[in-house]
Amino acid sequence: AEYMGKVGFPRFMATMKFDVIVIGGGVMGSSTAYHAAKAQQRVLLLEQFDFLHRRGSSHGDSRITRRTYPEDHYTRMMPYAYYLWRQIEEDSQTQLYTKTGGLDFGPSTSKGIQDIIKASQKHQVKHEVLGPAEVAARWPTLQFPENYLAVFQEDGGILNASKSVAALQSLARKYGAVLKDREAVCELKHISNEEVMIRTNKGTYHAQSVVVTPGAWIGPFAEKHLGLSLDVVVNKTTIGYFACDDSAAYSAERFPVFLHYHDPFIYGTPSLEYPGLLKAACHYGEVVTADTRTFHPSTQALLDEVYEQTLKLLYKGVQKHPVHSETCLYTLTPDTDFIIDRHPVYSNIYIGAGFSGHGFKLASVVGKILSDLSAQGHTQFDLRPFNIARVIKANERSRL
């Protein structure tokens, strides 16, 4: 399918020239296309499947957003991410964010909890540190052990994932981008530092620069088209929706998004997608590949890890067996930091990948960064934590 923006590129032209071609129409690619088109770049966004498909990492109705992070570099980025999401909401006249507050908790000795407190203090993120009694007074369905600490931040909340991607794609079209789905890349050829050729199953296109955001397909794509062997692993995680005895107590109006800094690392949201159902999942899952994974949820993992290790111990009145479950893919780097960098050889090819199950909230700013890189070759953000060299497999580094 082909969708034309207001610029009105010839609809059936076999070869077209763009300022930037974005490969991958999930949230990162859609955000990049939006920002680039808004900056008056001629943009083509290519997606191998249908737009808004459910095979990757950008579908569904909820993703956690929060200002609190254990790492400095994400804590620094989050204010701008919130600002840009507000701009996207205003630009699209669509509500994407639901404010619930956010609660990070775990043993007081947990490095994650201690680092969140330090980073919040350092970067002046408004927050409250609460003990178990204070938590129980505010949320009576929570029962934490005496050795637990919690960090509450009022701006935590939920981004509607599929709605956000749809809004970004709609805005990209509004600003003149060309969006094409069911169009897979067959060949990527670097012609010069001012031109890249892309051949798909439907046509051939040329651009001054290319941004590669293929999500869980980054490993084989980089191997085949970019000459890179990247140390990334795809996990299939299972998300469960659990019935609650007191559904009002766990509603988005009264209960926060939450992250349990423990082994296993558990996160979740109040009931919003499905009335009366609390969403919870383990951050990690089964190692798969994007093309061969199944869509069968691992309900046993939900019971063993999510229910037995968190919900049963710390939450009152949550029923054991999930009413509904579904799957999602994470693309993990060894250190769980993103890849946002230029190709180590080709200066006009940029890569955004490895978002490690915590990237959606930052998509608004990652798209801006990738758009700026593709147009100007630089960005205001320090990208050293996201350099690609750290995830190129050792046997590849010498060749490059």
Side-chain angles (χ1 to χ4, degrees), residues 5 66 116 121 126 143 151 156 167 190 213 248 297 302 316 377 382 400:
R66 65 189 195 275
I116 283 173
Q121 291 170 342
K126 184 181 176 184
Q143 47 188 9
V151 180
H190 183 268
T213 54
L302 287 176
K316 296 178 184 176
D382 179 5
L400 293 169

Side-chain angles (χ1 to χ4, degrees), residues 57 59-65 96 157-163 239 241 257 267-270 272-273 279 326 360:
S57 308
H59 62 279
D61 293 336
S62 62
R63 293 294 186 280
I64 290 174
T65 187
L96 306 173
I158 298 168
L159 289 167
N160 186 308
S162 294
K163 197 175 174 185
I239 298 99
Y241 296 84
V257 299
Y267 67 90
T269 68
L272 182 66
E273 297 173 63
K279 174 183 175 179
E326 52 192 46
F360 199 100

Side-chain angles (χ1 to χ4, degrees), residues 306-318:
V306 178
Y307 183 78
E308 293 291 338
Q309 299 291 321
T310 293
L311 300 182
K312 178 182 177 180
L313 300 177
L314 308 178
Y315 290 61
K316 296 178 184 176
V318 177

Side-chain angles (χ1 to χ4, degrees), residues 48-104:
Q48 63 177 326
F49 304 118
D50 286 305
F51 285 130
L52 305 179
H53 67 83
R54 302 183 65 84
R55 303 187 194 193
S57 308
S58 295
H59 62 279
D61 293 336
S62 62
R63 293 294 186 280
I64 290 174
T65 187
R66 65 189 195 275
R67 294 185 185 272
T68 50
Y69 252 106
E71 300 88 359
D72 278 346
H73 44 281
Y74 297 117
T75 309
R76 283 195 300 268
M77 293 170 76
M78 282 311 304
Y80 195 40
Y82 269 86
Y83 167 76
L84 288 173
W85 279 119
R86 283 195 300 272
Q87 277 200 336
I88 292 162
E89 285 187 312
E90 290 170 8
D91 210 354
S92 63
Q93 293 294 291
T94 306
Q95 182 181 345
L96 306 173
Y97 160 69
T98 300
K99 183 175 179 177
T100 63
L103 195 68
D104 302 282

